[in-house]
Amino acid sequence: KGFEIIDQNIQYRFGEIDLVIKRDHVLHFVEVKYRRSLTYGRPEESVTFQKLRRIRLAVLRYLQDRGLQARSIQIDVLAILALPGQDVEYTWISPAV
């Protein structure tokens, strides 16, 4: 899809960022959710308001730590559903916030 991977698996005590990718001068902070069953719902359903709040805090810290400005950023969700015997389903929610 034309993205460049900038960083991955960044952890802070209050939140984490799974992927930082870039395309067309926009930094995308991506929450990746993976499920092999629907026992606990679809993967994207697990991204709650509280989870997005923690991601936003982590993004702000990431930008601050690297001396970057929050001009062109976006928080996205990549939901991956891999049910046995079926094709893997990818859902990209952009922007998630």
Side-chain angles (χ1 to χ4, degrees), residues 19-88:
L19 284 174
V20 181
I21 56 179
K22 183 178 180 182
R23 181 173 68 179
D24 299 330
H25 305 290
V26 176
L27 277 180
H28 295 257
F29 296 87
V30 183
E31 173 68 12
V32 179
K33 288 296 182 183
Y34 177 86
R35 294 280 188 270
R36 288 184 288 169
S37 78
L38 293 172
T39 302
Y40 299 104
R42 297 186 58 81
E44 60 270 23
E45 292 171 350
S46 66
V47 183
T48 63
F49 175 79
Q50 292 81 8
K51 177 68 175 174
L52 288 172
R53 188 173 142 278
R54 289 191 303 271
I55 293 169
R56 281 194 294 265
L57 288 172
V59 167
L60 290 173
R61 177 67 177 272
Y62 180 89
L63 294 171
Q64 181 183 29
D65 287 353
R66 286 154 181 82
L68 302 172
Q69 295 186 5
R71 279 184 271 178
S72 296
I73 66 166
Q74 191 167 305
I75 297 175
D76 301 334
V77 173
L78 173 57
I80 304 168
L81 182 60
L83 298 175
Q86 296 184 22
D87 289 340
V88 176

Side-chain angles (χ1 to χ4, degrees), residues 81-97:
L81 182 60
L83 298 175
Q86 296 184 22
D87 289 340
V88 176
E89 180 184 322
Y90 299 91
T91 304
W92 184 269
I93 302 168
S94 178
V97 179

